[in-house]
Structures are given as C-alpha cells and as structure tokens.
Amino acid sequence: MSTTTPPGWYPDPSGQPGNRWWDGAAWTQHVNPPAGPVQRPRIPDGVATDTLPIWLLALQPVLVVLLQFAYRPELRFRTIGPDGLQALDPASVYTVGYFVLQVGGLLLYGAAVLLAFLDHRALRRRGVVRPFPWPWAFLATIVYVIGRFVVVRKVAPGRPMWPLWTYLVVGAVGTVFGVVRAAALFQQMLP
C-alpha cells in the first residue's frame, strides 16, 4: 500500500497566501486566492512609523501659504471703446510674482509626489507590508496622507498620528488664508 497525497487544493508551500493545486505528483502553477482579506502583519512597538518625508509632507502647506506672498498684483483698469467700458489690464495680473506662484506650485506638487515615494519606501524598510501606494499622491497629497495612516493604524495600532493632524490643521489654516486672499483680490476687481 502506497501513501501518496491525493490531488487537491492545499496551502501554498511557498508561503504565499492562498492555496495551490497538488496533482498527486507535483505542485502545479494553479493557485486560488485566499478566502478572505489578507491581514498585514503588525510591526514591533519599537519601530517608528513617522518618517522625515511624512513630516515634510505635513508641513508643505506652510510653503504654499508663503508662496502666495510672491503674488501681489496691482490691478489696473483701462477704458476701452467709445462707451467708456472698463476692462482689467492683463499686464497688471500677469506679473513676475504670478509666474513665480505658478512654477512654485508645480515644484511643490512634484516634491509632494517624491516625498510620498520616499515615505512609502521608508515604511517598507521598516517592515510595513503593502504600505499605501505612493502614486495616489499624483491625485492629491491629502489622499496619500490619509491612506497612509489608514494602513499604519492596521500595522501599528494605538500609535499617535501627529503628522496627519499637523497636515490637516496646517492645510485648513492655509485654505482659510487662501480664501481670504482670493476674496480680497476679487474685491479689487469689482468696479
């Protein structure tokens, strides 16, 4: 009597989640995904989850506010046509500060994506399995920051989330400042 393992689905011998098909003689390439969601393993308590890149991302809205000070238009109007219609002079809007603001905004956007990549890489090095994907930072920094902390809460529950709260507070203050500044500029354009 021979003792062979009958064909069937068995836990993958490579250690991957899910099952692999044993044909009675050898493992095949056929795999089944795991039955439920794969849990991320927790990281040890001594491993820090706050990285330098996430802190730089959290403080980036301060640079956005400072960059807004580069743009100080002196709005001028000119009369056009025989009926005295007033029009905004484009030269008063498109100043050097305007272009500094535009280029600076693009550089900060690129820096945010780079910082998300560096943070993702640092988390992987610290043992976080499948950290939140850094390309979400292309959509918006806030998407990456919040998604990152959702994952960190799963692998390191109970840890403080100071970079997240810092980003939210600094971002909210920056948004209020931007709205007030935009309202003041808009008010200058009204006759």
Side-chain angles (χ1 to χ4, degrees):
M1 183 168 143
S2 68
T3 56
T4 60
T5 304
W9 292 102
Y10 297 97
D12 194 333
S14 69
Q16 296 294 321
N19 295 318
R20 185 173 294 274
W21 182 259
W22 172 261
D23 66 7
W27 293 105
T28 67
Q29 295 300 319
H30 303 289
V31 292
N32 270 345
V38 178
Q39 298 295 323
R40 288 180 171 91
R42 291 187 178 186
I43 59 174
D45 288 338
V47 177
T49 56
D50 295 342
T51 64
L52 177 61
I54 196 62
W55 274 108
L56 292 174
L57 269 176
L59 296 173
Q60 193 180 36
V62 172
L63 296 176
V64 173
V65 169
L66 294 176
L67 191 59
Q68 290 180 20
F69 285 110
Y71 184 52
R72 293 204 167 272
E74 294 294 328
L75 300 178
R76 294 182 306 273
F77 294 89
R78 59 183 174 173
T79 304
I80 58 172
D83 52 347
L85 182 65
Q86 293 285 315
L88 184 63
D89 181 10
S92 69
V93 175
Y94 300 114
T95 63
V96 172
Y98 173 83
F99 293 106
V100 167
L101 182 66
Q102 297 302 314
V103 171
L106 286 174
L107 291 174
L108 286 175
Y109 173 77
V113 172
L114 176 63
L115 288 170
F117 168 75
L118 294 173
D119 178 63
H120 181 271
R121 188 174 68 177
L123 287 175
R124 287 185 65 198
R125 288 181 178 163
R126 294 177 186 193
V128 176
V129 175
R130 291 183 338 274
F132 191 73
W134 66 270
W136 281 100
F138 281 108
L139 181 61
T141 304
I142 188 71
V143 174
Y144 175 75
V145 172
I146 291 175
R148 175 216 195 263
F149 278 99
V150 168
V151 171
V152 166
R153 285 302 257 192
K154 291 179 182 177
V155 299
R159 305 263 179 105
M161 299 184 295
W162 289 114
L164 172 64
W165 298 117
T166 301
Y167 181 83
L168 293 174
V169 168
V170 171
V173 169
T175 300
V176 168
F177 176 79
V179 167
V180 167
R181 185 150 162 77
L185 286 174
F186 184 73
Q187 188 175 20
Q188 284 181 1
M189 289 190 283
L190 294 175

